Amino acid sequence: LFPFVHLFYSSVKSFTRRGGSRSPGSAQKSSSRSTVPTSAKRRSSVLWSETVDISVRESLTAKEIRRQEVIYEMSQGEQNLIEDLKLARKAYHDPMLKLSIMSEEELTHIFGDLDAYIPLHEDLLARIGAATKPRGTVEQIGPILVKWLPGLNAYKGYCSNQLAAKALLDRKEKDPRVQDFLQRCLESPFSRKLDLWSFLDNPRSRLVKYPLLLKEILKHTPEDHPDVPLLQEAVSSPVNDSCVFQSYTLPCRRKLCNATLKLCI
């Protein structure tokens, strides 16, 4: 076990060094690159207005600048989630499978379908990137969101299984081999001092944020903008309103909180 783990972490450290820092606009222009996050728990955030020329900002109203900021925040969030999901697969799922620390069935139960989630978010990031003008603005995001949102139904199983996945992970962490592996990961720079569940729970927090982002984009979109009816459709869509966010995510979150409280008592 230990020689393999040593080689694995050496490669991850090398990968971390190669990743470097991203340029402010890279999140919208590249969705296929896999980079390991920095060693800080929270990533440094960059505003859209910091990535464009001052002449661009001066040509827009305060409302339009805010609209661009929210769209950029959405793309940055997609990039961050993609990185975390890829990290969960590369640094946790695949090594534990190769080392037979957990069975494939157990890993699937805990990690869900990463091969479906990652392309889904890469697709949105690529669409926003393609819609970004050379000057850094996105004129229309409504058509993109209306077409993309139904894909979030891929998370139905993930959300409804979240409580059971956490329970299984908690049981497996009592296994010395699993405990040792996860502790080594936690102590490595790539983990940003976050445990495995923090990475696995990221999609849930992302799902909850989509309705807020959509409403904020709509709020700062001029009434005569062609995006308005499409954003209204996106905000009121079944996927956004109940299919994922209300029916699955929040109840599971409450159960997880209750389970954690019981463990603490």
Side-chain angles (χ1 to χ4, degrees):
L1 171 61
F2 294 112
F4 184 95
V5 171
H6 176 72
L7 290 173
F8 168 68
Y9 288 121
S10 296
S11 66
V12 171
K13 287 178 181 178
S14 173
F15 187 55
T16 304
R17 288 195 295 270
R18 290 200 303 270
S21 59
R22 289 180 292 163
S23 60
S26 63
Q28 289 182 328
K29 294 300 182 182
S30 174
S31 62
S32 60
R33 183 175 53 178
S34 173
T35 57
V36 170
T38 60
S39 58
K41 276 190 177 183
R42 293 183 180 275
R43 295 177 173 91
S44 57
S45 58
V46 177
L47 298 175
W48 171 83
S49 55
E50 297 173 338
T51 72
V52 297
D53 191 82
I54 188 172
S55 62
V56 176
R57 299 197 303 271
E58 291 178 344
S59 68
L60 302 174
T61 65
K63 189 171 186 177
E64 179 58 30
I65 289 175
R66 179 55 187 158
R67 170 181 152 88
Q68 295 299 326
E69 293 284 9
V70 181
I71 294 173
Y72 186 74
E73 180 186 349
M74 176 175 279
S75 71
Q76 289 283 84
E78 292 303 296
Q79 178 68 52
N80 292 340
L81 180 57
I82 291 165
E83 289 180 1
D84 283 348
L85 291 177
K86 286 184 175 180
L87 178 63
R89 181 170 63 187
K90 180 180 178 66
Y92 295 90
H93 177 281
D94 292 354
M96 284 194 286
L97 180 61
K98 290 177 182 178
L99 293 169
S100 299
I101 293 176
M102 288 194 204
S103 69
E104 185 172 1
E105 182 179 355
E106 289 171 331
L107 290 169
T108 299
H109 195 66
I110 292 172
F111 285 80
D113 190 1
L114 291 176
D115 289 335
Y117 308 150
I118 294 172
L120 174 65
H121 296 286
E122 286 180 327
D123 179 48
L124 177 57
L125 189 63
R127 288 171 185 258
I128 296 176
T132 303
K133 302 297 182 183
R135 66 201 297 252
T137 58
V138 176
E139 293 182 4
Q140 276 196 271
I141 189 127
I144 294 172
L145 295 174
V146 167
K147 290 179 182 178
W148 182 80
L149 276 173
L152 288 177
N153 280 307
Y155 275 107
K156 274 188 178 181
Y158 163 88
C159 294
S160 60
N161 183 58
Q162 202 176 27
L163 183 62
K166 182 65 167 64
L168 176 57
L169 179 60
D170 288 344
R171 289 198 303 271
K172 295 301 295 184
E173 284 179 343
K174 296 176 183 178
D175 183 326
R177 296 185 73 213
V178 175
Q179 192 176 82
D180 178 71
F181 180 87
L182 295 180
Q183 183 61 35
R184 287 171 179 271
C185 288
L186 187 63
E187 294 171 357
S188 298
F190 68 79
S191 74
R192 305 183 343 252
K193 302 187 184 302
L194 298 172
D195 61 18
L196 173 56
W197 185 252
S198 296
F199 291 105
L200 296 179
D201 193 45
N202 273 348
R204 179 204 57 78
S205 59
R206 186 67 184 163
L207 292 174
V208 172
K209 194 163 187 178
Y210 285 126
L212 304 177
L213 290 170
L214 292 173
K215 290 176 183 177
E216 191 70 8
I217 295 173
L218 178 59
K219 177 181 176 181
H220 296 284
T221 299
E223 293 181 1
D224 59 347
H225 195 289
D227 261 354
V228 170
L230 294 171
L231 288 172
Q232 290 173 336
E233 179 184 345
V235 167
S236 61
S237 70
V239 172
N240 183 41
D241 183 53
S242 61
C243 195
V244 173
F245 309 109
Q246 302 300 330
S247 299
Y248 297 97
T249 306
L250 297 180
C252 284
R253 182 62 176 171
R254 293 192 191 100
K255 289 178 182 178
L256 283 169
C257 290
N258 292 337
T260 303
L261 287 173
K262 288 179 181 178
L263 289 174
C264 295
I265 295 175

